[in-house]
Structures are given as structure tokens and as C-alpha cells.
Amino acid sequence: MDSGAVAGLAIGCTISAAIIIIVCIMISRQLGYCNWFGANEKKDRRTPTPSNPAPLAPVVAPPIVHPPKKDDHRASLPVQSKPKVRKPNPLPILDVTPKPRKEISSPVDNPASDLCPKYLCKKYIRILKLASGYFNVRHDRCYCSLCYPAERTSVFTTAGSQYTVPRGWTNFGLQIDEAAFNSNRIFSKWFTTFYGTSRDDVESIIRNRFIPFSGDNLLDGSVFTRHIYDKRYILSSPSINYASLERFCPTDTVLIKHKWYDIKIVLACKQYPLGLLKQRGFKSNVCRIIPDDEIEWKTDQRATTIPYSILIRVQGHRCNQQCRSQHSSS
């Protein structure tokens, strides 16, 4: 290669290197990689000079306001909106389904229903002048058709022995010797029976705390007398229909609020099972639950028949020839 070619090649390489250096310097200046150019750039931004004037703020064009369009140069009329029609509120649907009546566990002064006899039974207890200390209102129950519907059971079982539900009667709980009842487990181990009594004897029995024998001397000094055929025994029954027969439970006709009623009293009792005899009653077909051969119970053991509640049944009185004149004069 001659000297001219070598000189030309050297000049070309020099020019190429210079161009590359200039390009690198410009790129570094734009990206801020070069401190020297960066310092000058900051200086130029802080103190604008005639050679490096401050950048101008961008010019924002004003919004274009278009004139309202005219329809054939006629003034636009206001559009009348249609009046809103309010829909009438629907009438509420009334629930006319009769709700079941709740059972009341304590006596009230006002009757819950004209058909419920509990109010009249309460009035009758006041007529008997029985002290309030005899009663335990927590165990009051009403078994009328309203308080105890027909679809409920008609028989209860205690200690393996059945007894009838006192339908149509009102139950008033009595105060008992809770220590004796709990220690002997009387409510779970003894049978439940019914003992028919009368207006004259009911308070003497309650005060005595157990059913006495006919001829017994009571705490008040009186002699207990029962007009039954077998006075050596205490007669009871698991059927309230049998216990409330006239032989055991005489009817008491009473005037309450200008109306005559026939009232019966039966004591619900717990009876000791041992020594208890079951026999046929003096009348058949009295109860459809308890058979006739076992409807009358008797015992000769003292203090083994303990009352725990009074049952009262009130029915409208029907006058006969014997009592019509008496009622008309009252």
C-alpha cells in the first residue's frame, strides 16, 4: 500500500472518531449523564439569558361556544311535562285467621271468654270462703274445651296407672308438704285418683291434709261423716266421671250474678299403691277409658290418700218442679 492511501485512511479514521465522540457527547448531554453538561443545563434553567431564554407557557385555546340552533328562526316553546299520576297504595291484607287462645295459669278477675268457666269457678271459691293460703296458683289449670282442645289426650299415666283427664273441670292447686312429697317421691311413685266431696266437707279435708275416714275427729273438733254404703274404707276412682256421681259428690246449686248454676267439687289426690283394692263400681258404663271392673278403688290405710288440687265443674242449672218455686222467690 502506498503512502497516499495510508494517509487517506488515517484521515478517514480520525474524522469518524471525531464524529463518534461528538454524537456521544450530545447523547450524554440529553440524558444528563455528563456532570459538566448537566451543571450547565441547570445553570441555564435557573438563570435564563438572551442566548437561552425561558420556555414559553403553552397557549390554551379558548373553548368554542356554538350559538343556539334555531329552527326556522322560530322561538322554541317550553315543553310541558306530563303530570305524574300517583298510584294508589294497595289496601293492607287483614289476617282474619283466629289465633289459638293461650292458657292462663292463674285465676283472673275477668273472664277470658264467656265460654270458659274459670271465672265462675273463682267466684264459687270466694263463696266457699276458702282462705287464699290453701292454694298454690302456679298449678292452676283449666280443662274446658277452649283451654284444653278435643284433639289433646284424654288419659294420663302416672306410676304405671292411668287416670282420666278432667275435661270440663277447672283445677286449682293446693299447698302441699313439699318435704314429704319429695322425700317419698309421691308425685312419681303414687297413683293419681279422684275423690268426690261436698261443699260442707271440702275445707275440713284440706285442713286435715289427707282424706279421713267417716267418724274421724278432725282438727277443728268436728266429726267427719260420709253418707256412703261402706264407711270402713276410703273410696276413690281413677275416673272423674265416676268420682263425680251424685252418691259421692252432691250437686251444689248456687246463684252467681243473677243466674243459677249446678256446681260439683272433686279432689285430685295422690294415693299409696300398696293395700289398694280395685273393684267394680255400683254403676256401669260411666267411663269409656277405665273399665267397669276397676273403676272403684278402696283402701283401709290411713293418711294414704292426699289431695293436691281442687277440681270444680260449673254447669247451667235446669229448674225442675221442686226447685222452680224456690228460685223464683230468690
Side-chain angles (χ1 to χ4, degrees), residues 315-330:
Q315 293 179 329
H317 176 69
R318 295 182 179 181
C319 293
N320 51 31
Q321 294 294 335
Q322 297 178 356
C323 65
R324 184 173 289 114
S325 59
Q326 177 184 355
H327 295 169
S328 60
S329 61
S330 299

Side-chain angles (χ1 to χ4, degrees), residues 190 210-213 216 232-234 271-277 298-306:
W190 290 26
F210 59 85
I211 305 298
F213 287 93
D216 284 355
R232 298 172 301 170
Y233 297 94
I234 295 174
Q271 194 159 6
Y272 188 58
L274 298 181
L276 188 63
L277 300 177
K298 66 179 183 179
T299 181
D300 58 356
Q301 300 186 47
R302 188 175 301 277
T304 57
T305 307
I306 304 175

Side-chain angles (χ1 to χ4, degrees), residues 25-279:
I25 291 173
M26 293 178 66
I27 293 173
S28 300
R29 184 178 181 183
Q30 293 293 330
L31 298 178
Y33 292 153
C34 181
N35 293 333
W36 182 74
F37 286 107
N40 291 338
E41 181 70 19
K42 292 180 181 179
K43 183 177 180 181
D44 293 340
R45 290 180 180 177
R46 292 176 183 175
T47 56
T49 59
S51 60
N52 187 21
L56 298 176
V59 179
V60 180
I64 300 174
V65 180
H66 298 281
K69 294 182 179 181
K70 295 183 179 180
D71 187 8
D72 297 335
H73 303 285
R74 290 179 296 181
S76 59
L77 297 176
V79 179
Q80 296 181 356
S81 59
K82 295 182 180 180
K84 296 182 179 181
V85 180
R86 298 182 62 182
K87 296 182 179 180
N89 295 328
L91 295 177
I93 300 175
L94 299 178
D95 186 10
V96 296
T97 304
K99 296 182 179 180
R101 178 178 174 271
K102 294 183 179 180
E103 182 176 344
I104 302 174
S105 60
S106 60
V108 293
D109 291 334
N110 296 322
S113 171
D114 293 338
L115 300 178
C116 180
K118 193 170 187 179
Y119 174 69
L120 295 174
C121 295
K122 181 67 176 178
K123 286 287 186 181
Y124 182 68
I125 288 179
R126 293 176 181 174
I127 293 174
L128 297 180
K129 297 181 180 180
L130 296 176
S132 60
Y134 290 139
F135 298 96
N136 186 348
V137 297
R138 293 181 301 172
H139 301 289
D140 291 355
R141 297 290 184 273
C142 183
Y143 293 96
C144 70
S145 58
L146 292 178
C147 301
Y148 195 86
E151 59 269 15
R152 299 183 66 175
T153 182
S154 296
V155 59
F156 293 145
T157 302
T158 300
S161 176
Q162 290 185 337
Y163 63 98
T164 59
V165 174
R167 290 186 178 275
W169 295 72
T170 303
N171 181 91
F172 295 95
L174 295 175
Q175 296 288 352
I176 60 173
D177 187 349
E178 294 187 2
F181 269 71
N182 294 334
S183 61
N184 295 299
R185 303 175 64 184
I186 290 178
F187 276 114
S188 60
K189 296 296 183 181
W190 290 26
F191 295 159
T192 299
T193 57
F194 300 104
Y195 180 84
T197 186
S198 64
R199 172 178 181 170
D200 298 331
D201 296 334
V202 60
E203 186 172 10
S204 299
I205 297 174
I206 295 174
R207 189 187 300 114
N208 198 59
R209 290 295 185 97
F210 59 85
I211 305 298
F213 287 93
S214 182
D216 284 355
N217 294 321
L218 302 178
L219 296 176
D220 58 358
S222 62
V223 178
F224 185 74
T225 303
R226 290 301 306 271
H227 301 285
I228 56 176
Y229 56 91
D230 198 345
K231 298 182 180 181
R232 298 172 301 170
Y233 297 94
I234 295 174
L235 301 180
S236 62
S237 176
S239 170
I240 195 168
N241 291 347
Y242 186 83
S244 61
L245 292 176
E246 195 68 21
R247 173 178 289 190
F248 310 109
C249 182
T251 302
D252 186 18
T253 303
V254 180
L255 180 65
I256 301 177
K257 285 193 172 183
H258 311 290
K259 189 174 181 180
W260 291 95
Y261 295 95
D262 291 335
I263 301 178
K264 285 181 174 288
I265 306 173
V266 171
L267 295 174
C269 304
K270 300 303 293 185
Q271 194 159 6
Y272 188 58
L274 298 181
L276 188 63
L277 300 177
K278 301 178 182 181
Q279 62 186 13

